[in-house]
Amino acid sequence: MDYYVLSQIVNGLIFGLIYALIALGLTVVFSIMRVVNFSHGEFYMLGGYTLYALTAGGAALFSLPFVVPTIVALPLAMAVVAMFGVAVERGLLRPVYTVRMDRPEEYAIILTFGLSLFLQYGALTTVGPYEMTPGSFWEGSKHILGDLWLAGDRLFAAGTSALLIAATLFFIYGTWTGRALMATAQNRVGATVVGVDPVRMNVIAMALAGLLAGAAGSLLAPVFLVYPDVGQIPVIKAFVIIVLGGMGSIPGAVVAALILGVVESLASVYISVAYRDVFAFLVLIGVLLFRPHGLFGQKERRA
Amino acid sequence: MTRIQDNKLLSGATLAAALSLAAVPVAGDTIKIGGMAPLSSPGSYQQGPELVLGLQWAVDDVNAAGGVLGKQVELIVEDTQGRPPTGATVVEKLITSDGVVAAAGEYHSSVCTSEIEVFHQHGIPFVIGSCWADTLTAAGYDEVFRTSVYSSKLAENMVAVMMANGIKKAASLVEDTDYGVGIATNLEGAIEKLGADIEFSYDVVEKTSKDFVPILLKYKTQVKPEILIVAVTQPGGFLILKQAHEIRFAPTSETLYLDGTCTAQNDQVFWDAVKDAGKYVLMSCPYSPSVKLTELGEQIKQRYIDQFDRQPNYLPLQGYDAMYSLLTAIENAGSTDGKAIIAALQALNLTGTRGDIQFSQEDGVWHHQWRDVPTFIFQYSEVGQSAGDAAILFPERFATAELMRP
């Protein structure tokens, strides 16, 4: 294998890690709450805008005499989006499981879709249409191998994504709260019987999703800029990833994201870059033909 | 009429709201004119509001001078979202529901392509604001006129610059639209037409993609062009430049970088987005901030600077020229009848913002095209440089510097 192919694979894996982080929050919300959050891309956007406001926007727009160091702004941005996620759960999504209604899942879909449009047009109206670049996490280009150089920010995003994914997996599978989340995901009634508060689990799931989307949006903002519809394409990829990995499967989402990153990287140079965003769907169709529940999905996960 | 007063950022939604207010008739009897532009996603909502600003200013100025045919002009703006079907739908609505007598505007060539069919079907005149694909005027429709630049002219300019600087190998990344593919095919045509000894290849990319590193890495290691020409509108174009710089491909001493969309001319936005990646970038544009405009053009330019505290790019001027041509033709026609307006547009001889506008009667791309529309190729030489300070490389009579390499 020559350096060129290896470079493409390495770039694909790096991008896959970033995809995984975006998809993780989406799959957590789906697995715990059974809600397909169509506004996840706008959570991602909010992360980017928050980072910009803290690291550059305040100084640029309001002549503030200070900027927050980017590394400090990252957890702050994550916290802001997590709080926003909690607010969405409490203010908008709670009726899905606390109020008796005929079609709660449809309600959630329409609601999150509407929220997505509201946030996108809200950003267009209040912040404006132009691209913004927040402060950098790791400036300059770094030599990887052969002719492959990558932005320090991209490497930082991939490395931090790996750490956050590991931390999320540990939280889900290694802590009592995580196990309670999984119990709720598997059997909501059963979890309630053994003392798990499902409403609290939903709040935690939305906070976790906000935290991860905020992290993804912040980490990628210096690489891919911030603008009102910046979350549209990533969230479409995230949907492909969670279906590919198996709806609700967290390890499945991570594996699917890495596969997608590598496939897109290689196919766009060996087949055609014109269809780069189509390859995700081709892989999805191919996998679903043989594994209708995705790579790690189960036939029936609902209570 | 309500004038847009946003001092910093033109927001598509705010603009649409303002223009819907502007669309309220100020008199009992008005002449209705349609205006189309992308004001929301997935269209280029960064560009649409700038174009609409030019359309609106032309209407405001004409109204302030007494209107057209003794009536005030009412501009009805529709958001086409960069979607061809939406473009056709809103044009149908403008004609059949709103009763516009003519229209001007639009930014995306693919949307223009669907719109011209509706205008042609209804016999309603349409002056293209900023769609560059040759095929639009080459369709030969009586109703369609264009005051903006066109792709084959830009392509010939780029090839001329490459020839003058001894460039033998060029590659291009173009977006998956009529505009992008048109630029690539026109570059091929221009190389052949001018007899240039240039090896040329291109790839079509999805303009919504975010990661262009794989294809850029292929270009860097396998194609190895001396210049990379990018015809992808922002934000995709900005991301390609950032990533080309990050992988140390372009702009470098081995590979130059040319922005074929002229989005780099919006200097504040450009430098904020790409930072030091923009140094030595070339751009192909239909307007120069440093070359003197007509008296009208200088007034519009100053109005823009006064209102937004920055230099305009080409779009407000193109929008103004399109609308001003249309309104002048209606006045000259003495009627709002479509055929009379078309005849008046064909006979038009008008000083616009960037020169004397006349529409060619020749066939092909020049059909109803302002042939002498100005075009330039610039190069930034410093990070954060104003578009007005960028060196002019083309045309030769305005050239201020030789091509610079990193």
Side-chain angles (χ1 to χ4, degrees):
Chain A
M1 187 183 295
D2 62 18
Y3 271 142
Y4 173 67
V5 179
L6 200 57
S7 298
Q8 296 289 7
I9 292 172
V10 168
N11 181 59
L13 287 171
I14 286 172
F15 212 68
L17 282 170
I18 294 166
Y19 274 157
L21 189 64
I22 301 168
L24 213 50
L26 199 61
T27 204
V28 164
V29 169
F30 177 77
S31 62
I32 311 300
M33 298 172 67
R34 297 292 163 186
V35 166
V36 179
N37 182 11
F38 279 99
S39 60
H40 193 69
E42 282 58 51
F43 281 39
Y44 168 97
M45 171 197 76
L46 284 176
Y49 273 127
T50 308
L51 190 83
Y52 175 78
L54 293 171
T55 60
L61 300 177
F62 306 113
S63 302
L64 294 182
F66 64 89
V67 292
V68 179
T70 318
I71 198 70
V72 177
L74 173 63
L76 292 175
M78 290 168 65
V80 166
V81 185
M83 285 189 285
F84 181 75
V86 171
V88 168
E89 190 279 334
R90 297 213 50 169
L92 300 174
L93 289 175
R94 192 160 287 189
V96 171
Y97 42 84
T98 58
V99 175
R100 193 172 179 82
M101 61 173 70
D102 286 341
R103 296 176 181 275
E105 287 166 355
E106 284 84 344
Y107 167 87
I109 287 172
I110 292 167
L111 192 143
T112 57
F113 191 71
L115 181 64
S116 164
L117 291 176
F118 175 78
L119 291 172
Q120 212 179 104
Y121 282 84
L124 189 59
T125 308
T126 55
V127 187
Y130 298 118
E131 298 83 357
M132 295 171 176
T133 308
S136 175
F137 290 103
W138 192 11
E139 290 191 0
S141 298
K142 314 297 168 192
H143 185 235
I144 308 299
L145 59 101
D147 286 313
L148 181 62
W149 292 70
L150 287 175
D153 280 320
R154 186 183 286 237
L155 297 173
F156 184 87
T160 310
S161 294
L163 288 175
L164 288 171
I165 291 165
T168 305
L169 291 174
F170 173 75
F171 172 71
I172 298 284
Y173 296 108
T175 66
W176 188 92
T177 306
R179 284 193 284 270
L181 280 170
M182 292 307 292
T184 309
Q186 288 167 16
N187 189 321
R188 206 171 179 84
V189 177
T192 307
V193 169
V194 296
V196 174
D197 178 358
V199 173
R200 184 165 165 264
M201 291 302 111
N202 289 341
V203 174
I204 291 171
M206 278 301 281
L208 184 56
L211 212 61
L212 294 169
S218 303
L219 287 167
L220 294 181
V223 183
F224 298 133
L225 312 174
V226 194
Y227 44 95
D229 60 345
V230 68
Q232 268 189 352
I233 296 297
V235 83
I236 290 171
K237 294 290 174 65
F239 278 120
V240 171
I241 287 163
I242 66 170
V243 176
L244 185 62
M247 291 291 280
S249 168
I250 292 169
V254 176
V255 172
L258 294 173
I259 291 172
L260 197 65
V262 174
V263 166
E264 282 190 349
S265 189
L266 291 176
S268 62
V269 291
Y270 287 110
I271 301 176
S272 169
V273 68
Y275 302 107
R276 182 190 159 89
D277 288 338
V278 174
F279 297 128
F281 295 99
L282 292 178
V283 172
L284 180 67
I285 291 166
V287 169
L288 292 186
L289 280 175
F290 298 99
R291 292 188 61 87
H293 301 287
L295 293 172
F296 290 75
Q298 294 173 12
K299 191 171 182 181
E300 183 56 69
R301 294 175 60 86
R302 302 202 64 174
Chain B
M1 288 286 170
T2 303
R3 180 167 294 167
I4 303 146
Q5 294 286 5
D6 188 341
N7 286 327
K8 286 292 176 192
L9 294 170
L10 279 171
S11 147
T14 308
L15 190 60
L19 291 171
S20 65
L21 290 176
V24 175
V26 294
D29 198 7
T30 59
I31 292 176
K32 293 179 180 176
I33 302 291
M36 299 82 64
L39 299 175
S40 60
S41 177
S44 285
Y45 52 75
Q46 299 92 343
Q47 320 288 358
E50 299 274 356
L51 180 68
V52 172
L53 189 71
L55 301 176
Q56 182 66 52
W57 278 356
V59 169
D60 289 350
D61 289 352
V62 167
N63 279 338
V68 170
L69 306 178
K71 296 177 182 176
Q72 291 287 287
V73 176
E74 178 185 344
L75 177 62
I76 303 173
V77 173
E78 290 289 345
D79 174 13
T80 57
Q81 300 180 318
R83 300 178 196 265
T86 307
T89 303
V90 302
V91 169
E92 190 77 39
K93 180 246 177 196
L94 283 168
I95 295 170
T96 59
S97 175
D98 297 321
V100 302
V101 299
E106 193 48 66
Y107 175 77
H108 295 284
S109 290
S110 47
V111 182
C112 267
T113 301
S114 67
E115 290 174 348
I116 62 171
E117 297 301 329
V118 185
F119 285 116
H120 179 56
Q121 184 188 345
H122 289 276
I124 297 292
F126 170 44
V127 182
I128 294 170
S130 192
C131 301
W132 296 359
D134 279 23
T135 49
L136 296 168
T137 45
Y141 292 154
D142 282 348
E143 296 80 7
V144 179
F145 294 78
R146 177 160 55 191
T147 51
S148 84
V149 73
Y150 51 102
S151 294
S152 55
K153 180 164 185 165
L154 293 172
E156 285 179 23
N157 294 351
M158 291 185 236
V159 172
V161 168
M162 286 191 274
M163 290 171 75
N165 290 282
I167 291 170
K168 301 286 185 196
K169 191 169 189 180
S172 185
L173 287 177
V174 299
E175 64 181 41
D176 51 348
T177 62
D178 288 0
Y179 154 70
V181 176
I183 286 283
T185 53
N186 281 305
L187 279 167
E188 285 180 325
I191 288 168
E192 191 178 334
K193 181 180 173 183
L194 300 178
D197 179 21
I198 297 173
E199 184 185 339
F200 176 70
S201 61
Y202 71 92
D203 276 288
V204 179
V205 298
E206 289 175 283
K207 68 172 186 170
T208 51
S209 284
K210 295 197 180 298
D211 183 27
F212 297 95
V213 165
I215 188 67
L216 291 170
L217 194 58
K218 178 182 170 184
Y219 276 28
K220 179 185 177 186
T221 58
Q222 300 189 352
V223 180
K224 298 180 179 174
E226 292 170 61
I227 186 167
L228 177 68
I229 299 168
V230 175
V232 181
T233 47
Q234 68 190 88
F238 286 171
L239 293 179
I240 291 174
L241 174 57
K242 266 175 73 77
Q243 291 168 24
H245 176 70
E246 285 161 5
I247 68 164
R248 300 195 173 190
F249 167 45
T252 57
S253 54
E254 292 82 26
T255 307
L256 296 163
Y257 186 104
L258 194 153
D259 164 32
T261 66
C262 193
T263 46
Q265 197 174 55
N266 201 347
D267 49 21
Q268 286 182 12
V269 175
F270 175 73
W271 290 114
D272 189 39
V274 306
K275 309 241 183 277
D276 56 349
K279 189 175 179 182
Y280 296 114
V281 161
L282 295 111
M283 54 186 159
S284 171
C285 294
Y287 153 71
S288 165
S290 56
V291 171
K292 190 164 174 59
L293 298 167
T294 64
E295 190 180 338
L296 174 65
E298 290 295 331
Q299 286 172 13
I300 300 301
K301 181 178 165 185
Q302 192 56 48
R303 188 188 301 176
Y304 189 97
I305 294 168
D306 292 345
Q307 189 160 332
F308 300 106
D309 194 25
R310 62 175 187 239
Q311 287 278 345
N313 65 11
Y314 65 95
L315 280 162
L317 301 168
Q318 285 199 161
Y320 195 101
D321 282 336
M323 183 58 76
Y324 189 43
S325 301
L326 183 59
L327 298 181
T328 305
I330 296 173
E331 181 71 27
N332 292 349
S335 161
T336 56
D337 174 67
K339 285 193 170 70
I341 298 171
I342 289 168
L345 279 165
Q346 287 171 334
L348 190 74
N349 188 350
L350 172 76
T351 301
T353 64
R354 297 166 295 154
D356 294 333
I357 300 170
Q358 287 178 299
F359 294 108
S360 166
Q361 304 301 311
E362 294 171 70
D363 288 335
V365 65
W366 294 316
H367 179 73
H368 290 180
Q369 168 70 46
W370 177 22
R371 280 192 67 164
D372 297 330
V373 59
T375 50
F376 300 86
I377 292 181
F378 304 94
Q379 186 175 27
Y380 283 125
S381 57
E382 298 294 337
V383 175
Q385 193 172 36
S386 149
D389 293 335
I392 301 175
L393 306 185
F394 185 91
E396 280 181 19
R397 68 180 186 279
F398 293 117
T400 58
E402 299 282 317
L403 178 74
M404 292 164 277
R405 292 178 182 273

